[in-house]
Amino acid sequence: MACFPGPLVIVGSGLAAYALAREFRKLDTEQPVVLICADNGCQYSKPLLSTAIAQQKNADDLATASAADMADRLGLIIRNNTRVDAIDAEAHRLIIGNERFPYGKLVLAVGAEAVPLKLDGNAAAQAMTVNSLADYRQLRGHLEQVEAERPAIVIAGGGLVGCELASDFVSGDYDIDLVCSGEQLLDGLVPAEIATVLRQRLENAGVACHLSRRVESLHQHPQGLLAGLDNRQHLPAHALISAIGLRPATALARSAGLTLGQRGIAVDRYLQTSDPDIYALGDCAEVDGVSLLYVKPLMACARALAATLATTPVRVAYGPMPVTIKTPVMPLLVAAPSRLQPGSWSVDQNHDGFRAEFRHGDGHLLGYALTDKRITEQSELNPQLPEFF
Ligand SMILES: Cc1cc2nc3c(=O)[nH]c(=O)nc-3n(C[C@H](O)[C@H](O)[C@H](O)COP(=O)(O)OP(=O)(O)OC[C@H]3O[C@@H](n4cnc5c(N)ncnc54)[C@H](O)[C@@H]3O)c2cc1C
């Protein structure tokens, strides 16, 4: 049982917020828990946003429970459609417009924001993102208005989300241009050999890939939009999706004067910020210097933080956490090496796919990428990976 005065207040309703609420309720059914979120508070799985077109799912299909259902199930008070403007840490109050909302302990689970795509042109404001259920609803609504038989979509960004969206949309009835500023897709995640084959398979499926190119402008056009690239090429489009990256949301932490890390809100392995009554987890948090914008780490954090808040302090520890990249044209499992660790790739290809290993000069395995049938080889490689911490 928790023993602190005042409610536990969680800001956010994404996977991190609901995972924490669920884990906390397993240990403590009494402590008042208030969840405050800027969106409508529906429970959904964000990774499904990049496979929803192929599965013909609209936004309502992806929402697995309403805020009211979640409040009932977990014994929460949920204030949805409520944006927290700032935190008065000294007074233990959230600032919501003119209201001052008290907390005993506060958890920030405010996620990550899309890096803005800088665009010129009279339609620049029409660029879209796919970083929330609301974004997906808006995109689907927009595409439903398009009269073309095969709507054209330009996707800016050749990382995990850009490649997954290209793969998903091309399997629907869409023409896709994938524009990637790097020399290869999935830069930093896989070696060039794998990226080249992924590109070929996406192109065979109908995706036009533009490497070493940037989208610089978006203009109105009689048939829709025109996306201008940095080589003066213009791509007709009915939608431009920006997937150039995400960055942890730190505005609330800044307002409270909390310490920030290189990328996110700095927390220790107890998920505690520089204020002893404020914690953070999920995409917004940088845990002991490590910022990982994936589901498995946030689940580990939710379990540890629930125990810390409800019973006894538990340090979070991560094991190897490979990520499945959802590109059905090339099944891909990646344990990405840290960009800070020096090493090099060695790549083996056979008729079952690729096995690429990223090793330090001393021979230690630091990361890997496996494709197609060779994904099963993860059981051999995972035990060799270093612990994250
Ligand atoms: C398209 C896509 C595909 C992905 N696929 C995978 C995958 O296959 N595997 C994987 O491991 N990871 C994947 N990820 C990453 C994964 O989905 C995220 O790591 C995870 O969902 C983050 O959850 P979160 O709760 O931290 O943040 P979010 O889900 O972003 O939640 C943030 C919450 O904070 C609220 N909020 C923010 N600011 C305020 C405020 N000021 N006041 C009130 N509320 C506020 C928002 O309304 C929202 O409810 C994918 C991400 C995307 C975008």
Side-chain angles (χ1 to χ4, degrees):
M1 288 279 289
C3 54
F4 51 85
L8 170 62
V9 176
I10 303 171
V11 184
S13 67
L15 288 170
Y18 278 135
L20 173 65
R22 202 173 292 112
E23 294 298 327
F24 184 79
R25 275 292 178 248
K26 288 180 191 168
L27 303 171
D28 186 322
T29 52
E30 301 293 320
Q31 181 80 22
V33 179
V34 181
L35 192 142
I36 303 178
C37 54
D39 53 25
N40 66 9
C42 278
Q43 177 182 253
Y44 76 103
S45 173
K46 192 183 279 194
L48 298 184
L49 296 180
S50 50
T51 55
I53 294 290
Q55 293 171 13
Q56 300 185 333
K57 294 207 163 148
N58 62 34
D60 288 336
D61 298 327
L62 295 177
T64 50
S66 68
D69 290 339
M70 292 305 287
D72 263 7
R73 274 184 212 174
L74 297 173
L76 311 173
I77 296 164
I78 298 187
R79 286 189 55 177
N80 56 0
N81 304 310
T82 303
R83 180 165 289 278
V84 177
D85 298 316
I87 301 165
D88 180 345
E90 211 172 312
H92 281 57
R93 296 279 188 278
L94 297 180
I95 300 172
I96 304 169
N98 293 327
E99 185 186 352
R100 300 291 178 270
F101 192 90
Y103 63 82
K105 300 274 185 194
L106 175 64
V107 178
L108 300 176
V110 288
E113 301 158 342
V115 173
L117 178 62
K118 288 187 192 125
L119 290 173
D120 292 328
N122 60 5
Q126 293 181 37
M128 301 177 125
T129 54
V130 183
N131 186 36
S132 67
L133 194 58
D135 287 348
Y136 181 71
R137 187 184 300 280
Q138 192 187 5
L139 176 64
R140 284 294 296 245
H142 171 74
L143 292 173
E144 274 160 24
Q145 306 298 317
V146 173
E147 283 172 4
E149 219 169 277
R150 278 181 71 85
I153 300 178
V154 173
I155 298 172
L160 180 148
V161 172
C163 288
E164 289 188 354
L165 289 174
S167 178
D168 192 37
F169 274 98
V170 82
S171 67
D173 275 336
Y174 295 93
D175 282 332
I176 302 298
D177 285 282
L178 179 61
V179 183
C180 172
S181 63
E183 290 173 5
Q184 67 162 73
L185 300 176
L186 299 179
D187 195 15
L189 293 175
V190 301
E193 292 87 335
I194 292 181
T196 301
V197 174
L198 173 63
R199 194 193 79 211
Q200 286 161 356
R201 292 196 199 171
L202 284 171
E203 287 181 342
N204 290 343
V207 176
C209 294
H210 308 261
L211 299 184
S212 304
R213 293 272 80 90
R214 289 174 192 277
V215 182
E216 290 192 327
S217 65
L218 191 62
H219 285 93
Q220 295 287 356
H221 178 262
Q223 273 80 49
L225 300 166
L226 263 191
L229 306 191
D230 56 352
N231 62 349
R232 296 177 187 272
Q233 190 179 357
H234 285 88
L235 305 173
H238 296 98
L240 167 64
I241 300 175
S242 171
I244 61 167
L246 297 172
R247 61 179 178 215
T250 53
L252 278 185
R254 263 178 225 278
S255 75
L258 303 181
T259 303
L260 301 182
Q262 295 278 326
R263 296 190 69 203
I265 305 168
V267 294
D268 62 16
R269 294 192 200 186
Y270 298 96
L271 292 317
Q272 193 173 45
T273 67
S274 51
D275 180 313
D277 288 328
I278 306 180
Y279 298 79
L281 84 166
D283 281 3
C284 65
E286 183 175 315
V287 185
D288 204 8
V290 179
S291 170
L292 294 170
L293 278 59
Y294 298 112
V295 175
K296 282 184 195 158
L298 73 80
M299 291 296 176
C301 289
R303 284 189 292 274
L305 181 54
T308 296
L309 292 168
T311 54
T312 45
V314 170
R315 286 160 65 93
V316 70
Y318 299 150
M321 286 180 292
V323 176
T324 299
I325 299 187
K326 303 183 293 292
T327 43
V329 289
M330 179 188 252
L332 192 45
L333 185 78
V334 174
S338 158
R339 285 181 191 263
L340 302 176
Q341 288 172 314
S344 56
W345 286 105
S346 66
V347 181
D348 178 59
Q349 184 183 17
N350 65 23
H351 59 278
D352 283 336
F354 282 99
R355 169 179 172 143
E357 299 175 3
F358 189 87
R359 289 188 184 271
H360 189 270
D362 67 8
H364 278 95
L365 185 70
L366 296 173
Y368 65 74
L370 300 169
T371 77
D372 305 289
K373 291 183 183 159
R374 300 192 77 178
I375 283 178
T376 54
E377 295 175 28
Q378 64 171 302
S379 53
E380 187 192 324
L381 294 173
N382 284 339
Q384 298 176 44
L385 282 174
E387 293 287 309
F388 271 109
F389 43 70

